[in-house]
Amino acid sequence: MNMAFTHACLWTLLAFVLTWTVFYVTNRRKKATKLADTVAEEHKDSDADVIIVGAGIGGSALAYALAKDGRQVHVIERDMREPERMMGEFLQPGGRLMLSKLGLQDCLEEIDAQKAIGLALYKDGKEAAAPFPVENNNFPYEPTGRCFYNGRFVQRLRQKASSLPNVKLEEGTVKSLIEEKGVIKGVTYKNKSGEEITAFAPLTVVCDGCYSNLRRSLNDNNAKVLSHQVGYISKNCRLEEPEKLHLIMAKPSYTMLYQVSSTDVRCVFELFPDNMPSISNGEMATFVKNTIAPQVPLKLRKIFLKGIDEGAQIKTMPTKSMGATLSEKKGVILLGDAFNMRHPAVASGMMVLLSDILILRRLLNPLSNLGDANKISEIIKSFYVIRKPMSATVNTVGNAFSQLLIASTDEAKEAMRQGCYDYLSSGGFRTSGLMALLGGMNPRPLSLIYHLCLITISSIRQLLSPFPSPLGIWQSLKLFGLSIQMLIPHLKAEGFSQMFFPTYAAAYRKSYMATTAL
């Protein structure tokens, strides 16, 4: 009786275990199948090697470059209409060289781009020319820049990128990055129809401009607003010297006119946050007429006022500065204004961006696939270091040059400003050397230090002329301090060793001189 009961219990227990095992295995299989179906659904139409957020100049150029190297590229752009921007309208000679190395030089055609051979400088009734150096053995390209409507250039780049079969250019708004254990796997976005979609790729490039919504999820880098650019278009007119950018050292800062198309002239000037007249109530137009226009040379004034008199739309754009900071997350990289910004006085943002694309492309090229997150992370770290000799030089130049353009009642500051004008207008190796630096034709840190030192010495000489006085000596010391302030903090912030260490400089030159035959 007891034995029979024991056997019954054992058989019951065995049956329960077998039933539970079958149920568990079946349930696990169902979950695995469901998970596989979910993953397959998520990855449907998401077989890209690279996702690029933003199809501006950087996103479009990078998409084209990577696609030419055989990558599958998915570009997501918030608004595919032609942008209407006031910035990004001048490409330095160095930027044109980089554009050609990416195979995109034809994007400057059919947009009515205007040739620029250098600067025309104006200060206190004087005028001087500062052309880009024609004879430069270190610069293997035509030493001229191009002025154009930014939106037209962007559209040409988008057309060029989307012409490749392995580029998917889609209109949509990226809502967030998909992260898993510190690795960015892709993005969540809403397409044009309003559907929320997830897209996956081993590398995500955030290239969505100075107002990037994704930057804050990758690092705590914040942009600093330095001033505001105020501008408008004078239509149906042509400058007396259309091949020059006309730079006026006015008050409170610089004013500039340049031929943005064969029939239109861009007029732009800098104001500071504590002195911003209202546009909506007409105060800005009155300010332009009464304060800025009288400082514009007579030969330019009629064109400068034409846009205001005809009711042209006045736009403002904040001038921002932001150092480059790498994200600690893997599988992602920031580019363009989402990554690094400097004062637009040197008009070098696009040049730095195209340089960054050349470097990143060369570093990624040897990889047959981008699936190794650790390897990609090492490449991104190398990219950050290799870009420094050029980007840090341009950033420091932008800061220094913008400060030299600000009018001041301080005798030392004004002497430095006058010294800059005299240096640029002196001709010879001084003008050619500094213009080569500004134009990205010789973007070397030592060249920056050399020219800034010469400007400082020249300015001090003026303060001590015709003979030293106690006040002159004091102002000279202040001027020397200003020069140090313009240089040292920025060199330190950018990374002194990365800028000047020979290995990094050689690595940058290798990328800079690389051809499109990758």
Side-chain angles (χ1 to χ4, degrees):
M1 180 83 177
N2 289 336
M3 184 65 70
F5 179 76
T6 302
H7 284 168
C9 288
L10 287 173
W11 281 110
T12 302
L13 180 61
L14 181 61
F16 174 77
V17 170
L18 288 172
T19 302
W20 184 86
T21 302
V22 170
F23 174 78
Y24 177 78
V25 171
T26 304
N27 193 49
R28 290 281 293 179
R29 285 179 176 174
K30 286 181 179 179
K31 285 184 176 180
T33 302
K34 186 177 180 181
L35 179 62
D37 291 341
T38 302
V39 171
E41 181 65 25
E42 286 178 339
H43 283 74
K44 182 177 67 177
D45 299 326
S46 299
D47 55 348
D49 298 308
V50 182
I51 291 173
I52 299 175
V53 182
I57 289 168
S60 301
L62 180 64
Y64 179 83
L66 295 182
K68 290 294 284 185
D69 291 341
R71 312 286 184 194
Q72 295 291 328
V73 184
H74 184 185
V75 188
I76 305 169
E77 164 58 37
R78 182 181 59 83
D79 189 349
M80 293 296 294
R81 292 174 298 179
E82 182 176 311
E84 294 184 5
R85 292 191 67 209
M86 186 175 68
M87 310 290 273
E89 294 181 333
F90 179 65
L91 188 61
Q92 297 279 9
R96 288 187 60 228
L97 171 63
M98 293 164 195
L99 194 71
S100 71
K101 288 183 178 296
L102 292 168
L104 293 167
Q105 65 273 20
D106 58 335
C107 290
L108 288 172
E109 299 171 3
E110 300 177 13
I111 62 171
D112 199 16
Q114 301 296 297
K115 182 178 180 180
I117 62 171
L119 295 173
L121 296 167
Y122 306 87
K123 187 178 187 296
D124 301 330
K126 297 180 180 178
E127 178 182 346
F132 294 117
V134 176
E135 296 180 5
N136 189 327
N137 296 328
N138 296 319
F139 188 71
Y141 205 68
E142 181 194 15
T144 60
R146 290 293 183 274
C147 299
F148 44 77
Y149 276 110
N150 174 273
R152 295 177 184 177
F153 184 45
V154 169
Q155 292 300 85
R156 285 285 285 134
L157 288 169
R158 288 173 178 173
Q159 292 166 11
K160 186 85 169 181
S162 61
S163 69
L164 299 179
N166 48 334
V167 173
K168 178 183 178 182
L169 183 55
E170 180 180 10
E171 185 169 312
T173 302
V174 175
K175 296 296 184 180
S176 62
L177 300 170
I178 300 171
E179 182 180 350
E180 183 181 312
K181 296 179 180 179
V183 179
I184 301 300
K185 299 290 188 178
V187 300
T188 300
Y189 69 100
K190 279 191 176 181
N191 65 12
K192 196 173 182 180
S193 302
E195 300 172 297
E196 189 163 295
I197 300 173
T198 54
F200 297 87
L203 178 61
T204 299
V205 182
V206 176
C207 199
D208 55 348
C210 62
Y211 297 110
S212 175
N213 291 321
L214 301 178
R215 181 172 59 226
R216 64 176 65 93
S217 65
L218 296 173
N219 59 44
D220 57 358
N221 207 7
N222 293 313
K224 179 182 178 182
V225 176
L226 304 174
S227 61
H228 292 271
Q229 302 292 304
V230 184
Y232 55 89
I233 293 290
S234 289
K235 291 185 173 293
N236 302 314
C237 55
R238 197 156 176 85
L239 293 166
E240 188 177 307
E241 297 177 283
E243 292 189 342
K244 293 180 180 179
L245 285 80
H246 297 262
L247 178 64
I248 304 149
M249 290 186 169
K251 296 176 182 179
S253 186
Y254 69 91
T255 298
M256 185 176 285
L257 291 84
Y258 53 89
Q259 200 76 43
V260 75
S261 76
S262 58
T263 59
D264 298 343
V265 173
R266 168 69 71 189
C267 304
V268 63
F269 53 93
E270 182 177 43
L271 292 179
F272 299 97
D274 58 350
N275 181 29
M276 282 292 294
S278 171
I279 294 176
S280 59
N281 64 10
E283 287 181 4
M284 183 66 79
T286 302
F287 178 82
V288 171
K289 289 182 178 181
N290 296 340
T291 305
I292 304 296
Q295 301 179 71
V296 175
L298 284 172
K299 71 175 187 177
L300 302 174
R301 197 175 299 171
K302 182 178 180 180
I303 289 177
F304 185 77
L305 287 170
K306 189 174 189 293
I308 296 296
D309 292 338
E310 293 178 355
Q313 182 183 8
I314 301 175
K315 295 182 178 181
T316 64
M317 185 80 178
T319 296
K320 296 183 178 182
S321 175
M322 185 179 71
T325 304
L326 279 181
S327 172
E328 294 182 0
K329 301 185 191 325
K330 296 180 180 179
V332 66
I333 186 171
L334 291 149
L335 279 184
D337 285 349
F339 177 50
N340 187 202
M341 287 181 273
R342 79 286 309 148
H343 197 285
V346 292
S348 295
M350 288 187 291
M351 180 174 68
V352 172
L353 174 56
L354 294 172
S355 171
D356 285 350
I357 291 171
L358 276 172
I359 295 168
L360 185 61
R361 178 193 189 185
R362 184 181 70 82
L363 292 174
L364 291 174
N365 188 260
L367 301 184
S368 56
N369 69 77
L370 307 179
D372 188 337
N374 291 324
K375 183 65 176 177
I376 293 296
S377 182
E378 290 303 313
I379 283 177
I380 291 172
K381 289 176 183 176
S382 297
F383 158 80
Y384 180 75
V385 172
I386 292 172
R387 72 185 293 272
K388 279 293 183 178
M390 192 275 189
S391 64
T393 300
V394 171
N395 291 345
T396 307
V397 167
N399 171 74
F401 194 60
S402 65
Q403 290 187 46
L404 291 172
L405 294 175
I406 299 172
S408 176
T409 55
D410 184 281
E411 189 175 346
K413 290 182 178 179
E414 188 55 33
M416 193 77 170
R417 190 175 189 236
Q418 183 64 46
C420 179
Y421 173 84
D422 293 340
Y423 191 88
L424 269 173
S425 61
S426 63
F429 78 92
R430 294 184 175 189
T431 301
S432 62
L434 188 51
M435 288 302 293
L437 182 65
L438 293 172
M441 301 164 69
N442 182 27
R444 299 186 180 184
L446 288 176
S447 179
L448 160 66
I449 293 175
Y450 173 77
H451 289 291
L452 186 57
C453 285
L454 286 184
I455 292 173
T456 302
I457 292 169
S458 175
S459 303
I460 288 175
R461 186 182 297 131
Q462 289 182 6
L463 285 172
L464 297 178
S465 229
F467 56 85
S469 66
L471 181 59
I473 293 172
W474 168 243
Q475 294 295 344
S476 297
L477 291 172
K478 283 179 63 179
L479 191 149
F480 181 75
L482 288 170
S483 180
I484 295 297
Q485 275 186 326
M486 287 180 188
L487 192 62
I488 301 301
H490 290 274
L491 293 182
K492 185 178 179 180
E494 294 286 350
F496 191 88
S497 61
Q498 295 168 341
M499 287 179 68
F500 293 95
F501 197 68
T503 303
Y504 301 143
Y508 173 73
R509 285 195 294 273
K510 184 177 180 181
S511 297
Y512 181 75
M513 299 309 296
T515 66
T516 55
L518 286 171

